[in-house]
Amino acid sequence: MSHLITFEGIDGSGKSTQVTRVEKWLREEGYDVLLTREPGGSELGEAIRSILLDHKWSMMHGRTEFLLYSASRAQMVEEIVKPHLKKPNGIVLIDRYDDSSTAYQGGGRKLGIDAVETVNHFATDNLTPDLTFVLDVDWETSRARLSSSRTDPDRLENNPRDFFERTRQAYHDLCTRYPDRMRLIDATESPDEVYNKIVLHLNKLL
């Protein structure tokens, strides 16, 4: 049986670290694993990603930003995700998916959760994750981690604190709205503690 598993959270939450560890573990367990990311994944998606993260487009409107993310997502779903999910033992891991748009553009940009989710369903052809991990950190932890690991924040990371506070709250609201598939994980704990909690939930799914 195939599964779509996604990882969410504000920047600096440790998503990339955890999704890489999970990929390794699942491969060792014998699953056919595809790891991809948003925005990006496909060749077209990577081109869109370069626009979204470029400081040159600092004037980009929130709706424009959201539609670019949606275009990248639609291409990734059709070109990469759906074909892999047809495999009998296929698992797709995505570092960000449509919940990112709901939180970042719906919450952070104030476009509205319901409005964004309507477009999300269209862009993904209603492909919903089986399990979503939201790695939760506060703004201070996020900034501290980013400042220690990167010297040049991208366009999204340069947003003010209140943007990330709204985004984080939107993630919390989504976990309340979709308790069957979304798991809120305290990502201020050590990477090993976070990983162990993720594996516990994955074992229940698999």
Side-chain angles (χ1 to χ4, degrees):
M1 185 175 181
S2 61
H3 292 288
L4 172 59
I5 301 164
T6 58
F7 289 75
E8 299 284 351
I10 66 171
D11 301 287
S13 61
K15 292 181 294 74
S16 299
T17 297
Q18 295 300 333
V19 74
T20 300
R21 291 185 69 172
V22 168
E23 178 196 21
K24 181 176 182 295
W25 172 66
L26 289 173
R27 289 189 186 280
E28 291 171 351
E29 292 293 309
Y31 292 97
D32 186 347
V33 184
L34 169 67
L35 171 59
T36 187
R37 66 176 182 176
E38 278 205 2
S42 67
E43 184 178 0
L44 176 58
E46 291 296 327
I48 295 172
R49 179 186 180 90
S50 67
I51 295 172
L52 283 164
L53 302 185
D54 193 336
H55 294 286
K56 176 181 179 181
W57 308 113
S58 59
M59 78 297 291
M60 186 184 300
H61 192 277
R63 291 196 303 274
T64 306
E65 180 181 271
F66 170 48
L67 292 171
L68 284 172
Y69 274 109
S70 299
S72 173
R73 183 172 301 127
Q75 187 67 26
M76 181 187 69
V77 165
E78 294 300 325
E79 182 179 336
I80 296 174
V81 177
K82 281 184 176 180
H84 195 83
L85 290 176
K86 291 179 180 178
K87 298 181 178 181
N89 209 28
I91 291 184
V92 177
L93 303 176
I94 309 181
D95 187 343
R96 296 199 182 284
Y97 190 51
D98 59 349
D99 292 310
S100 279
S101 281
T102 310
Y104 274 78
Q105 283 79 52
R109 299 286 188 222
K110 302 181 182 179
L111 297 184
I113 301 298
D114 293 334
V116 167
E117 287 206 318
T118 298
V119 179
N120 283 345
H121 294 319
F122 174 73
T124 64
D125 196 25
N126 293 305
L127 182 62
T128 302
D130 297 294
L131 188 59
T132 298
F133 295 104
V134 178
L135 304 189
D136 184 49
V137 294
D138 54 44
W139 186 83
E140 290 85 357
T141 300
S142 168
R143 293 305 97 179
R145 289 180 178 178
L146 290 175
S147 63
S148 66
S149 63
R150 301 178 188 172
T151 57
D152 184 23
D154 62 40
R155 187 183 67 85
L156 270 296
E157 292 167 350
N158 268 334
N159 279 284
R161 176 172 182 162
D162 61 342
F163 169 83
F164 288 103
E165 296 285 10
R166 290 192 301 271
T167 299
R168 184 190 182 200
Q169 183 59 52
Y171 273 127
H172 281 243
D173 293 343
L174 285 172
C175 288
T176 300
R177 181 179 288 200
Y178 303 113
D180 291 341
R181 72 167 175 91
M182 299 190 75
R183 302 289 180 268
L184 189 68
I185 306 290
D186 182 359
T188 63
E189 297 180 341
S190 72
D192 285 344
E193 289 174 313
V194 173
Y195 174 71
N196 289 335
K197 289 181 178 180
I198 290 172
V199 170
L200 182 65
H201 289 296
L202 282 172
N203 275 322
K204 293 178 182 179
L205 172 69
L206 301 174

